[in-house]
Amino acid sequence: MIWQLMKQDFRFQARHGFYIVYAFVSLFYIIILRWMPVDVRDDVAPVIVLMDPAAVGFFIVGAGVLLERSQGVLDPIFVTPIRLQDYIWSKAITLALLGFVSGEVVLIGSLGRLNWLGSIGLYAISVIMSLFGLALALRAKTVNIFLMKASLAMIMLLLPLLSYFHLVSHSIFSVLPTAAALRLLSSSSAPFSLFEGILAAANLCLWLVIAFQLAYKAYEHTGYK
């Protein structure tokens, strides 16, 4: 069942130009990064990939859900024997895949290399962002309310950037999933110990569970069980 849902999601995303948006986003950031000196590029590329396209998925998934709601797509879906968890994972996986592929293209186009640890971190944070976007969009009655809530949540999630650029350091930042993802994304230029890698992976796994539960509860809140 989940594979059929994913096919539908891919078609929905293609029909509404999601892939075109991500293609332009990727090209734009590749051009920006290629203008930078190589040493600066190594530090900035992980941040760019984390913020956009991975973080943009946070907003796009919400826009997609609100669009489906306005078109009445959700109502007929949930009178079928579709399991709610399959629907949520289908949305999260397909939309995260967009951010992941776009991020990988940006890294290859700007740095000329891939980092397998960074790839794991990128896809994990893309899924987490997508789940957060689902949860917020389902509890928002209008686009403006969603954008306001999503912007506040994004500010909170991007606080680890203050530590990354040595502006402000606080232990609470390391708890956020974006901190773990950023650690993995920058591992090629800033190697870390096995223990640090395990902590980062555990952090992302924990937040995957939390984000899924938030999305699940949000769907239940709308009446879809």
Side-chain angles (χ1 to χ4, degrees):
M1 181 65 73
I2 191 171
W3 302 113
Q4 293 300 321
L5 289 171
M6 289 175 66
K7 288 179 183 178
Q8 293 176 17
D9 285 333
F10 282 130
R11 286 196 292 266
F12 179 86
Q13 293 159 17
R15 186 167 65 249
H16 289 89
F18 285 21
Y19 302 131
I20 296 174
V21 170
Y22 269 91
F24 277 107
V25 166
S26 301
L27 180 60
F28 173 76
Y29 281 110
I30 288 173
I31 293 173
I32 294 297
L33 287 166
R34 296 290 292 185
W35 281 347
M36 297 180 181
V38 176
D39 55 339
V40 175
R41 199 184 307 168
D42 283 339
D43 292 330
V44 175
V47 176
I48 293 294
V49 169
L50 179 67
M51 292 180 62
D52 196 338
V56 164
F58 187 78
F59 292 93
I60 287 184
V61 67
V65 169
L66 292 170
L67 183 60
E68 283 187 340
R69 180 190 288 175
S70 68
Q71 294 178 349
V73 174
L74 295 180
D75 295 330
I77 284 179
F78 287 97
V79 298
T80 64
I82 294 175
R83 294 191 307 169
L84 181 52
Q85 56 264 38
D86 289 344
Y87 181 81
I88 293 173
W89 282 120
S90 173
K91 280 279 180 288
I93 290 171
T94 55
L95 286 163
L97 189 60
L98 275 173
F100 171 75
V101 172
S102 181
E104 294 290 86
V105 169
V106 170
L107 289 175
I108 294 174
S110 60
L111 301 180
R113 65 177 185 271
L114 277 179
N115 170 13
W116 69 271
L117 284 176
S119 297
I120 293 172
L122 175 59
Y123 191 69
I125 195 63
S126 296
V127 174
I128 292 169
M129 291 288 195
S130 296
L131 290 169
F132 280 152
L134 280 172
L136 286 175
L138 287 164
R139 291 182 179 274
K141 294 182 178 180
T142 66
V143 174
N144 288 336
I145 292 175
F146 167 73
L147 291 175
M148 181 181 67
K149 291 183 176 180
S151 297
L152 291 173
M154 187 57 60
I155 291 172
M156 295 292 294
L157 287 168
L158 293 179
L159 285 176
L161 293 179
L162 297 175
S163 295
Y164 183 79
F165 288 114
H166 308 291
L167 298 175
V168 178
S169 182
H170 199 290
S171 58
I172 193 66
F173 295 165
S174 63
V175 177
L176 298 172
T178 41
L182 190 59
R183 194 73 186 91
L184 294 176
L185 281 166
S186 59
S187 60
S188 60
S189 58
F192 51 79
S193 67
L194 176 61
F195 179 70
E196 289 177 305
I198 293 173
L199 283 180
N203 177 297
L204 291 171
C205 288
L206 177 61
W207 277 103
L208 273 171
V209 174
I210 294 172
F212 173 78
Q213 289 299 320
L214 288 173
Y216 194 93
K217 293 297 183 184
Y219 270 105
E220 287 187 330
H221 179 74
T222 63
Y224 301 122
K225 300 181 180 179

PDB file of all heavy atoms in Angstrom, residues 192-222:
ATOM      1  N   PHE A 192      35.321  13.675  13.368  1.00  0.00           N
ATOM      2  CA  PHE A 192      34.975  13.504  14.771  1.00  0.00           C
ATOM      3  C   PHE A 192      35.162  12.051  15.180  1.00  0.00           C
ATOM      4  O   PHE A 192      35.375  11.175  14.334  1.00  0.00           O
ATOM      5  CB  PHE A 192      33.535  13.959  15.049  1.00  0.00           C
ATOM      6  CG  PHE A 192      32.519  13.362  14.115  1.00  0.00           C
ATOM      7  CD1 PHE A 192      32.052  12.068  14.281  1.00  0.00           C
ATOM      8  CD2 PHE A 192      32.025  14.112  13.059  1.00  0.00           C
ATOM      9  CE1 PHE A 192      31.121  11.517  13.430  1.00  0.00           C
ATOM     10  CE2 PHE A 192      31.090  13.572  12.189  1.00  0.00           C
ATOM     11  CZ  PHE A 192      30.641  12.274  12.379  1.00  0.00           C
ATOM     12  N   SER A 193      35.071  11.791  16.466  1.00  0.00           N
ATOM     13  CA  SER A 193      35.301  10.451  16.996  1.00  0.00           C
ATOM     14  C   SER A 193      34.103   9.540  16.740  1.00  0.00           C
ATOM     15  O   SER A 193      33.011  10.003  16.400  1.00  0.00           O
ATOM     16  CB  SER A 193      35.571  10.520  18.500  1.00  0.00           C
ATOM     17  OG  SER A 193      34.401  10.939  19.188  1.00  0.00           O
ATOM     18  N   LEU A 194      34.323   8.237  16.916  1.00  0.00           N
ATOM     19  CA  LEU A 194      33.250   7.260  16.750  1.00  0.00           C
ATOM     20  C   LEU A 194      32.119   7.531  17.736  1.00  0.00           C
ATOM     21  O   LEU A 194      30.926   7.437  17.380  1.00  0.00           O
ATOM     22  CB  LEU A 194      33.800   5.843  16.955  1.00  0.00           C
ATOM     23  CG  LEU A 194      32.776   4.706  16.907  1.00  0.00           C
ATOM     24  CD1 LEU A 194      32.089   4.648  15.549  1.00  0.00           C
ATOM     25  CD2 LEU A 194      33.451   3.370  17.236  1.00  0.00           C
ATOM     26  N   PHE A 195      32.475   7.894  18.955  1.00  0.00           N
ATOM     27  CA  PHE A 195      31.463   8.172  19.979  1.00  0.00           C
ATOM     28  C   PHE A 195      30.586   9.356  19.562  1.00  0.00           C
ATOM     29  O   PHE A 195      29.366   9.322  19.725  1.00  0.00           O
ATOM     30  CB  PHE A 195      32.139   8.451  21.320  1.00  0.00           C
ATOM     31  CG  PHE A 195      31.180   8.774  22.427  1.00  0.00           C
ATOM     32  CD1 PHE A 195      30.348   7.793  22.951  1.00  0.00           C
ATOM     33  CD2 PHE A 195      31.095  10.063  22.939  1.00  0.00           C
ATOM     34  CE1 PHE A 195      29.446   8.089  23.971  1.00  0.00           C
ATOM     35  CE2 PHE A 195      30.201  10.365  23.958  1.00  0.00           C
ATOM     36  CZ  PHE A 195      29.375   9.373  24.476  1.00  0.00           C
ATOM     37  N   GLU A 196      31.199  10.400  19.015  1.00  0.00           N
ATOM     38  CA  GLU A 196      30.434  11.562  18.569  1.00  0.00           C
ATOM     39  C   GLU A 196      29.501  11.183  17.422  1.00  0.00           C
ATOM     40  O   GLU A 196      28.370  11.675  17.335  1.00  0.00           O
ATOM     41  CB  GLU A 196      31.383  12.677  18.122  1.00  0.00           C
ATOM     42  CG  GLU A 196      32.143  13.345  19.259  1.00  0.00           C
ATOM     43  CD  GLU A 196      33.115  14.384  18.753  1.00  0.00           C
ATOM     44  OE1 GLU A 196      33.967  14.050  17.902  1.00  0.00           O
ATOM     45  OE2 GLU A 196      33.025  15.547  19.201  1.00  0.00           O
ATOM     46  N   GLY A 197      29.994  10.297  16.553  1.00  0.00           N
ATOM     47  CA  GLY A 197      29.160   9.837  15.445  1.00  0.00           C
ATOM     48  C   GLY A 197      27.952   9.049  15.927  1.00  0.00           C
ATOM     49  O   GLY A 197      26.839   9.210  15.411  1.00  0.00           O
ATOM     50  N   ILE A 198      28.165   8.196  16.928  1.00  0.00           N
ATOM     51  CA  ILE A 198      27.067   7.410  17.499  1.00  0.00           C
ATOM     52  C   ILE A 198      26.041   8.329  18.155  1.00  0.00           C
ATOM     53  O   ILE A 198      24.826   8.129  18.025  1.00  0.00           O
ATOM     54  CB  ILE A 198      27.612   6.385  18.515  1.00  0.00           C
ATOM     55  CG1 ILE A 198      28.447   5.324  17.788  1.00  0.00           C
ATOM     56  CG2 ILE A 198      26.471   5.732  19.292  1.00  0.00           C
ATOM     57  CD1 ILE A 198      29.157   4.365  18.717  1.00  0.00           C
ATOM     58  N   LEU A 199      26.530   9.346  18.870  1.00  0.00           N
ATOM     59  CA  LEU A 199      25.622  10.307  19.503  1.00  0.00           C
ATOM     60  C   LEU A 199      24.781  11.044  18.461  1.00  0.00           C
ATOM     61  O   LEU A 199      23.577  11.249  18.656  1.00  0.00           O
ATOM     62  CB  LEU A 199      26.419  11.317  20.333  1.00  0.00           C
ATOM     63  CG  LEU A 199      26.945  10.856  21.694  1.00  0.00           C
ATOM     64  CD1 LEU A 199      27.718  11.979  22.368  1.00  0.00           C
ATOM     65  CD2 LEU A 199      25.799  10.381  22.593  1.00  0.00           C
ATOM     66  N   ALA A 200      25.416  11.442  17.373  1.00  0.00           N
ATOM     67  CA  ALA A 200      24.687  12.150  16.313  1.00  0.00           C
ATOM     68  C   ALA A 200      23.622  11.247  15.693  1.00  0.00           C
ATOM     69  O   ALA A 200      22.486  11.677  15.456  1.00  0.00           O
ATOM     70  CB  ALA A 200      25.660  12.631  15.236  1.00  0.00           C
ATOM     71  N   ALA A 201      23.989   9.983  15.440  1.00  0.00           N
ATOM     72  CA  ALA A 201      23.025   9.038  14.864  1.00  0.00           C
ATOM     73  C   ALA A 201      21.870   8.776  15.819  1.00  0.00           C
ATOM     74  O   ALA A 201      20.698   8.732  15.404  1.00  0.00           O
ATOM     75  CB  ALA A 201      23.733   7.729  14.516  1.00  0.00           C
ATOM     76  N   ALA A 202      22.174   8.625  17.111  1.00  0.00           N
ATOM     77  CA  ALA A 202      21.135   8.388  18.115  1.00  0.00           C
ATOM     78  C   ALA A 202      20.203   9.594  18.216  1.00  0.00           C
ATOM     79  O   ALA A 202      18.973   9.444  18.365  1.00  0.00           O
ATOM     80  CB  ALA A 202      21.771   8.098  19.473  1.00  0.00           C
ATOM     81  N   ASN A 203      20.778  10.783  18.144  1.00  0.00           N
ATOM     82  CA  ASN A 203      19.986  12.015  18.182  1.00  0.00           C
ATOM     83  C   ASN A 203      18.968  12.039  17.036  1.00  0.00           C
ATOM     84  O   ASN A 203      17.779  12.301  17.249  1.00  0.00           O
ATOM     85  CB  ASN A 203      20.927  13.218  18.091  1.00  0.00           C
ATOM     86  CG  ASN A 203      20.186  14.553  18.039  1.00  0.00           C
ATOM     87  OD1 ASN A 203      19.444  14.834  17.118  1.00  0.00           O
ATOM     88  ND2 ASN A 203      20.424  15.399  19.032  1.00  0.00           N
ATOM     89  N   LEU A 204      19.425  11.737  15.827  1.00  0.00           N
ATOM     90  CA  LEU A 204      18.545  11.771  14.660  1.00  0.00           C
ATOM     91  C   LEU A 204      17.469  10.694  14.739  1.00  0.00           C
ATOM     92  O   LEU A 204      16.310  10.927  14.383  1.00  0.00           O
ATOM     93  CB  LEU A 204      19.365  11.619  13.376  1.00  0.00           C
ATOM     94  CG  LEU A 204      20.274  12.810  13.040  1.00  0.00           C
ATOM     95  CD1 LEU A 204      21.201  12.472  11.883  1.00  0.00           C
ATOM     96  CD2 LEU A 204      19.434  14.051  12.706  1.00  0.00           C
ATOM     97  N   CYS A 205      17.835   9.516  15.229  1.00  0.00           N
ATOM     98  CA  CYS A 205      16.849   8.437  15.382  1.00  0.00           C
ATOM     99  C   CYS A 205      15.763   8.832  16.381  1.00  0.00           C
ATOM    100  O   CYS A 205      14.568   8.586  16.152  1.00  0.00           O
ATOM    101  CB  CYS A 205      17.539   7.152  15.835  1.00  0.00           C
ATOM    102  SG  CYS A 205      18.542   6.358  14.555  1.00  0.00           S
ATOM    103  N   LEU A 206      16.174   9.440  17.486  1.00  0.00           N
ATOM    104  CA  LEU A 206      15.212   9.872  18.496  1.00  0.00           C
ATOM    105  C   LEU A 206      14.261  10.919  17.936  1.00  0.00           C
ATOM    106  O   LEU A 206      13.040  10.853  18.151  1.00  0.00           O
ATOM    107  CB  LEU A 206      15.957  10.422  19.717  1.00  0.00           C
ATOM    108  CG  LEU A 206      15.078  10.987  20.845  1.00  0.00           C
ATOM    109  CD1 LEU A 206      14.172   9.903  21.405  1.00  0.00           C
ATOM    110  CD2 LEU A 206      15.943  11.579  21.953  1.00  0.00           C
ATOM    111  N   TRP A 207      14.806  11.876  17.197  1.00  0.00           N
ATOM    112  CA  TRP A 207      13.968  12.927  16.637  1.00  0.00           C
ATOM    113  C   TRP A 207      13.062  12.409  15.519  1.00  0.00           C
ATOM    114  O   TRP A 207      11.978  12.967  15.282  1.00  0.00           O
ATOM    115  CB  TRP A 207      14.817  14.088  16.144  1.00  0.00           C
ATOM    116  CG  TRP A 207      15.194  15.027  17.246  1.00  0.00           C
ATOM    117  CD1 TRP A 207      16.403  15.125  17.880  1.00  0.00           C
ATOM    118  CD2 TRP A 207      14.341  15.992  17.878  1.00  0.00           C
ATOM    119  NE1 TRP A 207      16.359  16.086  18.856  1.00  0.00           N
ATOM    120  CE2 TRP A 207      15.107  16.637  18.876  1.00  0.00           C
ATOM    121  CE3 TRP A 207      13.021  16.364  17.699  1.00  0.00           C
ATOM    122  CZ2 TRP A 207      14.566  17.634  19.681  1.00  0.00           C
ATOM    123  CZ3 TRP A 207      12.481  17.358  18.508  1.00  0.00           C
ATOM    124  CH2 TRP A 207      13.254  17.983  19.483  1.00  0.00           C
ATOM    125  N   LEU A 208      13.482  11.352  14.825  1.00  0.00           N
ATOM    126  CA  LEU A 208      12.604  10.722  13.829  1.00  0.00           C
ATOM    127  C   LEU A 208      11.345  10.184  14.508  1.00  0.00           C
ATOM    128  O   LEU A 208      10.230  10.354  14.009  1.00  0.00           O
ATOM    129  CB  LEU A 208      13.335   9.591  13.106  1.00  0.00           C
ATOM    130  CG  LEU A 208      14.166   9.969  11.881  1.00  0.00           C
ATOM    131  CD1 LEU A 208      14.990   8.776  11.417  1.00  0.00           C
ATOM    132  CD2 LEU A 208      13.260  10.454  10.744  1.00  0.00           C
ATOM    133  N   VAL A 209      11.544   9.536  15.641  1.00  0.00           N
ATOM    134  CA  VAL A 209      10.413   8.995  16.399  1.00  0.00           C
ATOM    135  C   VAL A 209       9.514  10.123  16.901  1.00  0.00           C
ATOM    136  O   VAL A 209       8.276  10.071  16.778  1.00  0.00           O
ATOM    137  CB  VAL A 209      10.906   8.137  17.580  1.00  0.00           C
ATOM    138  CG1 VAL A 209       9.734   7.696  18.453  1.00  0.00           C
ATOM    139  CG2 VAL A 209      11.677   6.923  17.078  1.00  0.00           C
ATOM    140  N   ILE A 210      10.131  11.163  17.463  1.00  0.00           N
ATOM    141  CA  ILE A 210       9.363  12.296  17.995  1.00  0.00           C
ATOM    142  C   ILE A 210       8.570  12.992  16.884  1.00  0.00           C
ATOM    143  O   ILE A 210       7.376  13.287  17.036  1.00  0.00           O
ATOM    144  CB  ILE A 210      10.292  13.302  18.692  1.00  0.00           C
ATOM    145  CG1 ILE A 210      10.912  12.676  19.944  1.00  0.00           C
ATOM    146  CG2 ILE A 210       9.541  14.592  19.041  1.00  0.00           C
ATOM    147  CD1 ILE A 210      11.987  13.538  20.597  1.00  0.00           C
ATOM    148  N   ALA A 211       9.236  13.233  15.756  1.00  0.00           N
ATOM    149  CA  ALA A 211       8.591  13.933  14.643  1.00  0.00           C
ATOM    150  C   ALA A 211       7.426  13.120  14.079  1.00  0.00           C
ATOM    151  O   ALA A 211       6.370  13.664  13.736  1.00  0.00           O
ATOM    152  CB  ALA A 211       9.609  14.233  13.546  1.00  0.00           C
ATOM    153  N   PHE A 212       7.615  11.796  13.982  1.00  0.00           N
ATOM    154  CA  PHE A 212       6.526  10.949  13.488  1.00  0.00           C
ATOM    155  C   PHE A 212       5.336  10.989  14.439  1.00  0.00           C
ATOM    156  O   PHE A 212       4.182  11.088  13.994  1.00  0.00           O
ATOM    157  CB  PHE A 212       7.001   9.501  13.318  1.00  0.00           C
ATOM    158  CG  PHE A 212       5.883   8.547  12.979  1.00  0.00           C
ATOM    159  CD1 PHE A 212       5.380   8.494  11.692  1.00  0.00           C
ATOM    160  CD2 PHE A 212       5.312   7.737  13.946  1.00  0.00           C
ATOM    161  CE1 PHE A 212       4.321   7.646  11.370  1.00  0.00           C
ATOM    162  CE2 PHE A 212       4.263   6.887  13.649  1.00  0.00           C
ATOM    163  CZ  PHE A 212       3.770   6.833  12.350  1.00  0.00           C
ATOM    164  N   GLN A 213       5.604  10.918  15.721  1.00  0.00           N
ATOM    165  CA  GLN A 213       4.518  10.962  16.692  1.00  0.00           C
ATOM    166  C   GLN A 213       3.758  12.292  16.629  1.00  0.00           C
ATOM    167  O   GLN A 213       2.526  12.323  16.751  1.00  0.00           O
ATOM    168  CB  GLN A 213       5.066  10.734  18.111  1.00  0.00           C
ATOM    169  CG  GLN A 213       5.517   9.311  18.375  1.00  0.00           C
ATOM    170  CD  GLN A 213       4.383   8.306  18.244  1.00  0.00           C
ATOM    171  OE1 GLN A 213       3.258   8.564  18.656  1.00  0.00           O
ATOM    172  NE2 GLN A 213       4.682   7.149  17.664  1.00  0.00           N
ATOM    173  N   LEU A 214       4.491  13.376  16.422  1.00  0.00           N
ATOM    174  CA  LEU A 214       3.837  14.686  16.297  1.00  0.00           C
ATOM    175  C   LEU A 214       2.943  14.730  15.062  1.00  0.00           C
ATOM    176  O   LEU A 214       1.821  15.250  15.115  1.00  0.00           O
ATOM    177  CB  LEU A 214       4.893  15.787  16.219  1.00  0.00           C
ATOM    178  CG  LEU A 214       5.656  16.093  17.506  1.00  0.00           C
ATOM    179  CD1 LEU A 214       6.782  17.090  17.235  1.00  0.00           C
ATOM    180  CD2 LEU A 214       4.716  16.632  18.579  1.00  0.00           C
ATOM    181  N   ALA A 215       3.435  14.186  13.946  1.00  0.00           N
ATOM    182  CA  ALA A 215       2.637  14.160  12.717  1.00  0.00           C
ATOM    183  C   ALA A 215       1.419  13.254  12.887  1.00  0.00           C
ATOM    184  O   ALA A 215       0.313  13.592  12.455  1.00  0.00           O
ATOM    185  CB  ALA A 215       3.501  13.680  11.552  1.00  0.00           C
ATOM    186  N   TYR A 216       1.616  12.113  13.529  1.00  0.00           N
ATOM    187  CA  TYR A 216       0.514  11.163  13.744  1.00  0.00           C
ATOM    188  C   TYR A 216      -0.577  11.793  14.608  1.00  0.00           C
ATOM    189  O   TYR A 216      -1.769  11.703  14.303  1.00  0.00           O
ATOM    190  CB  TYR A 216       1.048   9.897  14.406  1.00  0.00           C
ATOM    191  CG  TYR A 216       0.091   8.722  14.365  1.00  0.00           C
ATOM    192  CD1 TYR A 216       0.152   7.784  13.342  1.00  0.00           C
ATOM    193  CD2 TYR A 216      -0.880   8.555  15.348  1.00  0.00           C
ATOM    194  CE1 TYR A 216      -0.720   6.709  13.296  1.00  0.00           C
ATOM    195  CE2 TYR A 216      -1.765   7.485  15.319  1.00  0.00           C
ATOM    196  CZ  TYR A 216      -1.671   6.563  14.282  1.00  0.00           C
ATOM    197  OH  TYR A 216      -2.550   5.509  14.243  1.00  0.00           O
ATOM    198  N   LYS A 217      -0.162  12.439  15.694  1.00  0.00           N
ATOM    199  CA  LYS A 217      -1.126  13.085  16.587  1.00  0.00           C
ATOM    200  C   LYS A 217      -1.846  14.225  15.871  1.00  0.00           C
ATOM    201  O   LYS A 217      -3.044  14.470  16.110  1.00  0.00           O
ATOM    202  CB  LYS A 217      -0.428  13.612  17.836  1.00  0.00           C
ATOM    203  CG  LYS A 217       0.135  12.537  18.749  1.00  0.00           C
ATOM    204  CD  LYS A 217      -0.953  11.655  19.318  1.00  0.00           C
ATOM    205  CE  LYS A 217      -0.385  10.631  20.278  1.00  0.00           C
ATOM    206  NZ  LYS A 217      -1.459   9.699  20.767  1.00  0.00           N
ATOM    207  N   ALA A 218      -1.147  14.909  14.983  1.00  0.00           N
ATOM    208  CA  ALA A 218      -1.766  16.013  14.250  1.00  0.00           C
ATOM    209  C   ALA A 218      -2.848  15.487  13.319  1.00  0.00           C
ATOM    210  O   ALA A 218      -3.909  16.097  13.190  1.00  0.00           O
ATOM    211  CB  ALA A 218      -0.699  16.770  13.459  1.00  0.00           C
ATOM    212  N   TYR A 219      -2.575  14.353  12.663  1.00  0.00           N
ATOM    213  CA  TYR A 219      -3.598  13.752  11.797  1.00  0.00           C
ATOM    214  C   TYR A 219      -4.796  13.285  12.619  1.00  0.00           C
ATOM    215  O   TYR A 219      -5.952  13.464  12.209  1.00  0.00           O
ATOM    216  CB  TYR A 219      -3.025  12.576  11.011  1.00  0.00           C
ATOM    217  CG  TYR A 219      -2.443  12.976   9.684  1.00  0.00           C
ATOM    218  CD1 TYR A 219      -1.080  13.049   9.479  1.00  0.00           C
ATOM    219  CD2 TYR A 219      -3.281  13.301   8.610  1.00  0.00           C
ATOM    220  CE1 TYR A 219      -0.552  13.420   8.252  1.00  0.00           C
ATOM    221  CE2 TYR A 219      -2.769  13.681   7.386  1.00  0.00           C
ATOM    222  CZ  TYR A 219      -1.390  13.737   7.210  1.00  0.00           C
ATOM    223  OH  TYR A 219      -0.884  14.116   6.002  1.00  0.00           O
ATOM    224  N   GLU A 220      -4.536  12.693  13.767  1.00  0.00           N
ATOM    225  CA  GLU A 220      -5.635  12.274  14.630  1.00  0.00           C
ATOM    226  C   GLU A 220      -6.466  13.478  15.080  1.00  0.00           C
ATOM    227  O   GLU A 220      -7.686  13.402  15.204  1.00  0.00           O
ATOM    228  CB  GLU A 220      -5.098  11.531  15.844  1.00  0.00           C
ATOM    229  CG  GLU A 220      -4.591  10.133  15.540  1.00  0.00           C
ATOM    230  CD  GLU A 220      -4.222   9.369  16.804  1.00  0.00           C
ATOM    231  OE1 GLU A 220      -3.807  10.012  17.787  1.00  0.00           O
ATOM    232  OE2 GLU A 220      -4.368   8.140  16.797  1.00  0.00           O
ATOM    233  N   HIS A 221      -5.776  14.590  15.295  1.00  0.00           N
ATOM    234  CA  HIS A 221      -6.457  15.822  15.719  1.00  0.00           C
ATOM    235  C   HIS A 221      -7.429  16.312  14.654  1.00  0.00           C
ATOM    236  O   HIS A 221      -8.474  16.905  14.970  1.00  0.00           O
ATOM    237  CB  HIS A 221      -5.419  16.912  16.015  1.00  0.00           C
ATOM    238  CG  HIS A 221      -6.013  18.219  16.426  1.00  0.00           C
ATOM    239  ND1 HIS A 221      -6.574  18.435  17.673  1.00  0.00           N
ATOM    240  CD2 HIS A 221      -6.126  19.405  15.752  1.00  0.00           C
ATOM    241  CE1 HIS A 221      -7.015  19.676  17.746  1.00  0.00           C
ATOM    242  NE2 HIS A 221      -6.751  20.276  16.606  1.00  0.00           N
ATOM    243  N   THR A 222      -7.104  16.075  13.391  1.00  0.00           N
ATOM    244  CA  THR A 222      -7.987  16.510  12.302  1.00  0.00           C
ATOM    245  C   THR A 222      -9.160  15.556  12.096  1.00  0.00           C
ATOM    246  O   THR A 222     -10.041  15.833  11.309  1.00  0.00           O
ATOM    247  CB  THR A 222      -7.206  16.625  10.975  1.00  0.00           C
ATOM    248  OG1 THR A 222      -6.714  15.320  10.613  1.00  0.00           O
ATOM    249  CG2 THR A 222      -6.053  17.585  11.106  1.00  0.00           C
TER     250      THR A 222
END
